[in-house]
Amino acid sequence: MRDKNAETMQKYHNDFLREVEANVEEGDWVHMCMQCGVCAGSCPLGDAWEHSPQKIFMMIRAGKREEVLTSDSMWMCTSCYNCIVRCPRELPITHIMHGLANYAHRLGIAPKMNPTRRFAKLFWNNIVKTGRVNELKLSISLYFMDGFTNGVKTSLEMTGMGLGMLKTGRLDAMGLLRSHGIKDKSGLHKALKKAREIEDARKGLS
Amino acid sequence: MSDEKKTAAYICKGCGLGDRLDCTELTTIAEKEGKAEIVREHEFLCNADGVAMIQKDIDEGANRIIINACSRRAKTEAFNFENVAMTRANLREGVIWSQPDTDDARETTQEMAADYVRMACAEIKFMSIPEENPEHGSNKRLLVVGGGISGMTSAIEAARAGYEVILVEKTGTLGGMAAQLYKRVPDHEDYADPQDTGVPEMIAEIGADGLITVKLDSTITRTSGAPGQFSVDITKESGVTETENVGAIIQASGFTNYDANNLPHLGYGKSPDVVDQAGLEALARAADGGAIKRPSDGKEVTSVAFIQCAGQRSSKKGELSYCSGHCCNTSIKQAMYFKDANPDVDATIIYTDLRTPGNGEDFYRSAQKKRVIFTKGEVSEVTTSGDELEVKFNDLILNEDTAMNADLVVLATGQVPNSGVNIEAATPVSVDEVEAAAEADESRINTEVDTGTVQEVSVLNLTYRQGKDLPHLRHGFSDSHFICFPYETRRTGIYTTGPVRRPMDIAQAKEDATGAALKAIQAIENSSLGRAAHPRSGDLSYPDFRKENCTQCKRCTVECPFGAIDETEDGYPLFNESRCRRCGTCMGACPVRIISFANYSVDTVGAQLKAVDMPDEFDEKPRMLVLACENDAYPAIDMAGMNGKRYSPYVRIVPVRCLGSVNTIWISDAMNSGYDMVMLMGCKHGDDYQCHFVKGSELANIRMSKIGDTLQTLNLEPERVVDYEVAITDIDRIPQLINDAAEIIENIGMNPFKGF
Ligand code: SF4
Ligand code: SF4
Ligand code: SF4
Ligand code: SF4
């Protein structure tokens, strides 16, 4: 694999834009942004993150590879779809945000301690195991993500909700012991492996 | 038609006039005080029967007609009689619709109506029947000066309408600036790619058109005459001069590219790889669809940066303060030259505001699809480092100072109009102004001279007393009210079109040039009938002056906004009636009051204001006189009435052609007659003037500023004469101004001259 992380980008030339177009889901749309700022003004998390979609897109054109890919902004996207609905140029902003996050993650330069990134990892590992989400295991691993003490504290805080979910059948009390997986687990794993191969080949990753 | 005056007055009782007014009294007034030979009342004067009744009287010899009914602006088709002088007393909009229908108000409402009847009867005594100007010419040929897109379009359009055209171009080929382009911004669906300029096709069409005569390598060395009868010297480079007669002139002298040498901080002149947009067109034409090479070493350009608004929209001295309107689209087009030849070339457009009028939005989107990079930024400097250029700028989205490298930098500089010499830099616009400036020891004149854009060479070489070229408005663009009366300049029968009027692109210039051709045709046709061109289109009256009383003060010749008056060798004004717009500004200017029109004069208005029945000081009924511009102020007052706005019954309103026609004698007459206040209502003046005669309201304002001193010497309060700028939309404000005047009078007291 070429070390893309070490490549230097020419400012305001097309270098990084081309990389994004080739490797990021819906990245092909970035050049259509007209910098109107409607997305930035529409995002409910606008204050919470450092770079609005508008800025992220401008940074891509400005060749700020490092800053974009290590940004935690796209990890903060809640997929509310406000921006997509309003963008006058009809960019699939939400998808680009997730695409960028995924690309940064695959390159290994996404912010390590970003909680959404960590949750996404837990979720993925949980679901691919059996093909179905095990809610109990997922919640517990989430609560204990930041260590044992924190985990106990969070678990206690969440007891009420947990009981409620049990009562309504949303949580399997025996979840730690058994999992309702899908029938053809190995088939799923094979399919996922193949999909990753195809994607990696396309993105030039190994 | 006999010369004998026979006056007929008609009083309409329709539209509620009969109920609200004592028409019998009005009839008596018209008969006894107005001395009208015929006075008739009618139930609905504007209906077929009423009109037939009037026509019958006219057929039997009545030639001075007074319609006492609705406003002169209403029912103009019904009350349209040939070969008579006519006036109209505004009893409907001006009286019953502006006054409350109450018992209390009945008396003052009737007084108003009675006065308007008196005024109309007084006015008609001084009116005669306008006849066509005997000096008119009927040449229907059109001269187009300038063979660029605008000039070629005007010529083609006029020829298509059946008019003969002489097209004069100073260079050896037609096509102008557009011929220098590799391609143009698209003008048709899907607005995605640069397209051919279309110049060769236009040149071919002109060549094949038998109505168009082209004169290349030629300039205009003398223009004299008037609409319908211009005489023009066309001189070839070789020095040979021919004289041609034409009916109207279109000046399409275009623009010059702003001199980028004024922008050394952007690298122009320091590196051959910094070019302006015109420079890039030359490179693109050389490449002809292949890779564009940079001038310094012939290397194929791999990255290019466009800097928008270079030397434009700037407050720096020597730079243009305006937006040239085309350059954003032009840079987008030029960026496509690179992208279309090789998509791997990096093309970056650095802008502060991307302005893509027309269908430019689609074009912009298309450039984005082609991966042109757009970045919102302000460029501070372009420097050379090795064989690369560095563009330093502030990225306005990312809010940081940054820089990029490029092989080639293109500056989007603007258009400077080729509008000829700025005649107002040398000539004052008003005699009073010169005096006022001398007194105040500060010059109010020539404040608008934009030294960056003044040109030395005259385009038309007019023999007009007021100067060789068309007056400029701002930034050297020729004065042509771009909203109300586009193309019309302050020289009747001469029209400007294209970038000499305002900055524009090819698509706009074509549309503009078509409009100008139509305007020129309108002028040609009007003048061949001896009538006025716009805005009093069709008016037959024209200024007449009594030479024997002229003091040669030169006020009329200097102040005519349209340069219609030249000077004879022995110093008298020489009226060119066909150039005249009939504003009456000369009439307002003349200190000895010897300029008049058949149906409009110092006497027609003077008689009206003196005809009102002036209550004495102890009646507690003040009188305000409003002299209202008939273009905007008077219609606004009518509309106030139509909308049921109430105003003081103590006001008497007289329409005037333009505030410029207000002679100060009317003010002193009004004061002597006992009016407590005189209000002038006219259009906005100044740079963004709305005056239909350009300078009229401004000149009135200057004259009124002098009246203040006169009033003071008479021991009258200067508040008694006020000058308001009003707009046609001021239908709430004008009644308020009138009512406020009643209050002012309460404060300063009645005019002490009442009853003298
Ligand atoms: S048209 Fe564009 S480049 Fe030209 S002055 Fe306006 S904004 Fe600037
Ligand atoms: S509409 Fe014309 S004048 Fe107005 S900003 Fe746009 S380009 Fe400039
Ligand atoms: S009426 Fe107006 S346009 Fe005509 S000569 Fe007088 S000032 Fe000039
Ligand atoms: S303003 Fe009157 S007095 Fe003066 S030059 Fe003109 S016509 Fe003669």
Side-chain angles (χ1 to χ4, degrees):
Chain A
M1 174 194 168
R2 286 187 303 149
D3 189 0
K4 289 210 165 180
N5 292 349
E7 271 179 35
T8 49
M9 295 286 146
Q10 275 254 52
K11 281 183 182 173
Y12 298 91
H13 289 208
N14 279 329
D15 311 17
F16 184 41
L17 181 67
R18 283 200 194 93
E19 181 185 339
V20 168
E21 287 176 353
N23 300 330
V24 172
E25 197 183 333
E26 304 281 17
D28 201 24
W29 277 94
V30 172
H31 64 277
M32 290 310 292
C33 164
M34 66 164 175
Q35 296 296 320
C36 65
V38 165
C39 54
S42 307
C43 181
L45 273 93
D47 295 340
W49 57 4
E50 205 183 338
H51 308 115
S52 62
Q54 176 197 17
K55 278 198 177 162
I56 290 275
F57 300 155
M58 196 60 235
M59 286 158 72
I60 293 173
R61 297 191 214 165
K64 296 182 172 250
R65 185 175 194 278
E66 168 93 18
E67 255 182 82
V68 171
L69 294 176
T70 58
S71 168
D72 72 347
S73 294
M74 53 270 191
W75 293 97
M76 308 296 274
C77 169
T78 58
S79 310
C80 72
Y81 284 79
N82 256 355
C83 54
I84 288 204
V85 169
R86 294 184 181 170
C87 173
R89 282 279 156 93
E90 302 177 323
L91 269 74
I93 303 164
T94 316
H95 305 164
I96 307 171
M97 287 292 122
H98 295 317
L100 280 168
N102 174 266
Y103 183 55
H105 169 73
R106 296 296 313 281
L107 289 171
I109 52 175
K112 291 277 172 303
M113 293 309 287
N114 179 283
T116 34
R117 175 173 164 276
R118 290 161 75 199
F119 174 74
K121 259 176 91 175
L122 291 175
F123 182 88
W124 178 256
N125 291 339
N126 183 302
I127 194 170
V128 294
K129 213 171 240 159
T130 65
R132 271 208 186 107
V133 179
N134 180 317
E135 283 91 357
L136 195 61
K137 279 186 186 164
L138 180 64
S139 331
I140 288 173
S141 45
L142 180 65
Y143 298 161
F144 287 83
M145 187 168 76
D146 291 322
F148 185 76
T149 330
N150 260 339
V152 174
K153 211 175 126 222
T154 319
S155 308
L156 287 172
E157 276 167 15
M158 301 303 281
T159 316
M161 183 183 287
L163 288 173
M165 285 173 75
L166 273 178
K167 246 187 237 160
T168 52
R170 310 304 294 240
L171 200 65
D172 180 1
M174 305 303 282
L176 284 180
L177 306 171
R178 62 171 188 225
S179 273
H180 292 287
I182 56 166
K183 276 190 198 130
D184 184 12
K185 276 182 221 151
S186 69
L188 171 75
H189 291 147
K190 254 197 236 155
L192 286 173
K193 195 168 164 249
K194 186 74 194 164
R196 164 144 310 189
E197 271 172 31
I198 295 170
E199 193 186 303
D200 284 358
R202 184 163 61 85
K203 294 185 179 173
L205 298 162
S206 60
Chain B
M1 192 178 56
S2 71
D3 285 347
E4 194 108 329
K5 285 185 193 172
K6 188 171 177 195
T7 307
Y10 302 91
I11 292 157
C12 178
K13 294 165 84 174
C15 293
L17 290 164
D19 303 333
R20 298 277 307 276
L21 301 173
D22 178 352
C23 290
T24 319
E25 191 210 22
L26 299 180
T27 301
T28 316
I29 289 172
E31 277 169 353
K32 297 274 148 57
E33 298 179 41
K35 305 262 187 307
E37 279 97 335
I38 302 168
V39 183
R40 298 188 205 284
E41 292 174 25
H42 194 276
E43 290 303 320
F44 285 103
L45 195 58
C46 62
N47 72 11
D49 180 61
V51 172
M53 173 181 84
I54 300 170
Q55 189 60 53
K56 184 162 174 287
D57 288 341
I58 292 173
D59 295 343
E60 288 167 7
N63 54 17
R64 300 292 186 280
I65 307 296
I66 306 166
I67 309 282
N68 301 284
C70 41
S71 164
R72 57 171 60 197
R73 302 181 49 82
K75 305 286 178 194
T76 48
E77 290 99 42
F79 303 128
N80 178 19
F81 305 104
E82 304 258 302
N83 300 321
V84 297
M86 183 174 76
T87 183
R88 298 183 53 178
N90 186 351
L91 305 184
R92 190 180 70 172
E93 289 82 346
V95 181
I96 61 166
W97 285 358
S98 68
Q99 300 305 315
D101 186 5
T102 59
D103 285 342
D104 284 352
R106 229 179 149 79
E107 180 188 319
T108 50
T109 307
Q110 180 69 18
E111 283 173 7
M112 252 183 142
D115 270 350
Y116 280 127
V117 173
R118 286 186 190 103
M119 291 158 80
C121 292
E123 182 191 14
I124 202 86
K125 292 203 177 83
F126 291 94
M127 288 172 87
S128 49
I129 305 164
E131 280 166 37
E132 70 176 50
N133 158 27
E135 306 291 331
H136 73 263
S138 322
N139 189 311
K140 295 201 175 179
R141 244 194 328 177
L142 189 64
L143 171 73
V144 178
V145 183
I149 287 285
S150 322
M152 291 197 296
T153 306
S154 285
I156 290 172
E157 294 294 341
R160 283 182 189 165
Y163 290 81
E164 235 185 287
V165 180
I166 305 176
L167 178 56
V168 174
E169 163 59 36
K170 74 167 181 250
T171 70
T173 45
L174 292 178
M177 289 292 194
Q180 312 297 313
L181 305 179
Y182 170 52
K183 303 244 173 192
R184 58 165 288 191
V185 171
D187 71 343
H188 56 70
E189 282 288 326
D190 44 3
Y191 303 99
D193 303 293
Q195 74 186 37
D196 290 337
T197 59
V199 169
E201 291 79 1
M202 290 177 84
I203 295 177
E205 181 171 352
I206 288 171
D209 197 320
L211 287 174
I212 307 176
T213 313
V214 180
K215 295 193 187 290
L216 299 174
D217 293 317
S218 303
T219 51
I220 308 297
T221 44
R222 183 192 58 90
T223 305
S224 64
Q229 50 193 359
F230 285 110
S231 158
V232 184
D233 284 354
I234 303 169
T235 304
K236 282 229 168 251
E237 226 171 23
S238 62
V240 182
T241 298
E242 294 166 295
T243 304
E244 297 279 1
N245 295 313
V246 295
I249 300 172
I250 292 179
Q251 178 180 330
S253 45
F255 69 98
T256 305
N257 286 307
Y258 174 79
D259 184 1
N261 284 307
N262 294 330
L263 306 170
H265 62 289
L266 298 181
Y268 196 88
K270 288 186 180 159
S271 162
D273 296 333
V274 178
V275 295
D276 63 3
Q277 290 183 325
L280 190 90
E281 292 295 336
L283 295 178
R285 273 189 300 144
D288 193 24
I292 293 175
K293 303 195 178 74
R294 67 179 185 190
S296 59
D297 55 4
K299 171 183 172 283
E300 284 184 12
V301 173
T302 59
S303 61
V304 55
F306 293 85
I307 300 177
Q308 295 311 103
C309 308
Q312 306 196 62
R313 301 174 65 212
S314 155
S315 51
K316 280 191 218 144
K317 203 172 157 45
E319 300 193 358
L320 306 179
S321 58
Y322 51 87
C323 159
S324 290
H326 77 95
C327 8
C328 286
N329 275 333
T330 300
S331 287
I332 290 173
K333 175 193 73 174
Q334 297 185 334
M336 287 189 187
Y337 292 167
F338 291 93
K339 286 298 203 184
D340 290 347
N342 175 7
D344 287 335
V345 172
D346 288 327
T348 306
I349 295 180
I350 307 174
Y351 64 92
T352 50
D353 306 283
L354 205 61
R355 294 175 171 179
T356 53
N359 289 61
E361 215 38 42
D362 287 342
F363 196 44
Y364 170 24
R365 211 180 321 239
S366 169
Q368 285 187 295
K369 284 192 185 129
K370 294 179 184 189
R371 289 176 177 70
V372 173
I373 292 188
F374 290 86
T375 181
K376 192 173 166 75
E378 226 161 337
V379 177
S380 54
E381 205 184 354
V382 176
T383 56
T384 14
S385 52
D387 62 349
E388 275 222 329
L389 297 164
E390 192 179 41
V391 182
K392 297 199 169 113
F393 66 102
N394 183 271
D395 186 315
L396 293 170
I397 299 289
L398 303 180
N399 191 21
E400 61 180 23
D401 286 327
T402 181
M404 66 170 290
N405 292 323
D407 293 339
L408 185 74
V409 167
V410 184
L411 306 181
T413 55
Q415 297 180 329
V416 178
N418 295 336
S419 46
V421 290
N422 184 356
I423 58 170
E424 283 181 344
T427 333
V429 293
S430 124
V431 171
D432 291 324
E433 200 174 26
V434 179
E435 289 169 5
E439 272 168 34
D441 196 32
E442 47 136 323
S443 179
R444 283 180 58 196
I445 328 160
N446 308 345
T447 46
E448 261 308 308
V449 181
D450 197 334
T451 45
T453 58
V454 166
Q455 306 195 352
E456 307 300 329
V457 186
S458 170
V459 179
L460 294 177
N461 284 299
L462 292 161
T463 58
Y464 291 20
R465 186 195 181 277
Q466 287 186 4
K468 288 178 171 192
D469 275 306
L470 304 174
H472 299 178
L473 182 57
R474 244 184 294 185
H475 314 307
F477 289 95
S478 73
D479 187 352
S480 138
H481 197 292
F482 69 98
I483 295 171
C484 298
F485 348 101
Y487 330 114
E488 290 172 17
T489 70
R490 281 165 52 194
R491 296 296 175 257
T492 311
I494 307 180
Y495 300 85
T496 49
T497 183
V500 69
R501 210 164 74 66
R502 63 172 177 81
M504 58 178 87
D505 63 12
I506 292 181
Q508 289 167 331
K510 284 188 154 182
E511 207 177 285
D512 204 70
T514 309
L518 288 171
K519 273 286 173 190
I521 290 170
Q522 188 191 28
I524 287 175
E525 293 299 337
N526 264 324
S527 73
S528 75
L529 295 171
R531 315 192 302 195
H534 47 78
R536 297 182 58 83
S537 184
D539 185 358
L540 283 173
S541 73
Y542 55 87
D544 197 15
F545 93 115
R546 287 198 314 274
K547 188 173 173 183
E548 59 278 17
N549 298 69
C550 174
T551 63
Q552 302 197 344
C553 73
K554 300 194 191 333
R555 277 184 164 76
C556 57
T557 46
V558 170
E559 296 190 6
C560 170
F562 305 103
I565 314 172
D566 289 334
E567 223 170 86
T568 59
E569 268 170 24
D570 49 355
Y572 286 104
L574 177 66
F575 283 82
N576 292 274
E577 293 82 3
S578 305
R579 284 192 219 153
C580 166
R581 305 257 177 111
R582 283 71 169 167
C583 60
T585 297
C586 50
M587 175 178 126
C590 182
V592 288
R593 301 177 295 282
I594 52 172
I595 303 174
S596 60
F597 299 79
N599 54 3
Y600 185 62
S601 65
V602 171
D603 288 335
T604 58
V605 175
Q608 287 182 70
L609 61 91
K610 286 185 233 166
V612 306
D613 188 23
M614 188 60 65
D616 73 29
E617 209 180 333
F618 310 103
D619 258 352
E620 296 197 347
K621 282 179 181 166
R623 285 288 178 262
M624 291 93 81
L625 176 70
V626 172
L627 296 170
C629 155
E630 68 179 11
N631 299 295
D632 280 11
Y634 199 71
I637 297 170
D638 273 356
M639 283 191 283
M642 290 178 210
N643 285 283
K645 312 279 177 211
R646 306 277 177 244
Y647 52 78
S648 165
Y650 302 137
V651 71
R652 300 294 177 262
I653 299 164
V654 178
V656 295
R657 287 190 178 184
C658 170
L659 282 196
S661 70
V662 172
N663 195 295
T664 47
I665 190 75
W666 295 340
I667 314 292
S668 19
D669 280 354
M671 284 299 143
N672 287 325
S673 307
Y675 286 94
D676 302 287
M677 260 186 95
V678 179
M679 306 163 81
L680 268 58
M681 294 190 183
C683 302
K684 185 168 167 32
H685 45 82
D687 274 351
D688 36 4
Y689 67 87
Q690 287 178 4
C691 175
H692 293 52
F693 296 101
V694 188
K695 291 277 170 213
S697 55
E698 184 173 333
L699 288 165
N701 179 262
I702 297 171
R703 291 180 200 147
M704 290 315 126
S705 65
K706 308 214 82 186
I707 271 275
D709 309 342
T710 320
L711 290 175
Q712 260 163 339
T713 57
L714 289 173
N715 254 336
L716 283 171
E717 299 73 6
E719 294 96 308
R720 293 202 190 271
V721 180
V722 285
D723 171 21
Y724 292 116
E725 286 177 319
V726 301
I728 196 156
T729 47
D730 281 342
I731 61 170
D732 289 312
R733 184 172 157 248
I734 294 177
Q736 191 57 49
L737 291 175
I738 293 174
N739 296 339
D740 290 350
E743 250 170 64
I744 297 175
I745 295 169
E746 228 159 80
N747 287 336
I748 58 177
M750 298 280 216
N751 179 350
F753 284 101
K754 264 186 215 288
F756 282 98

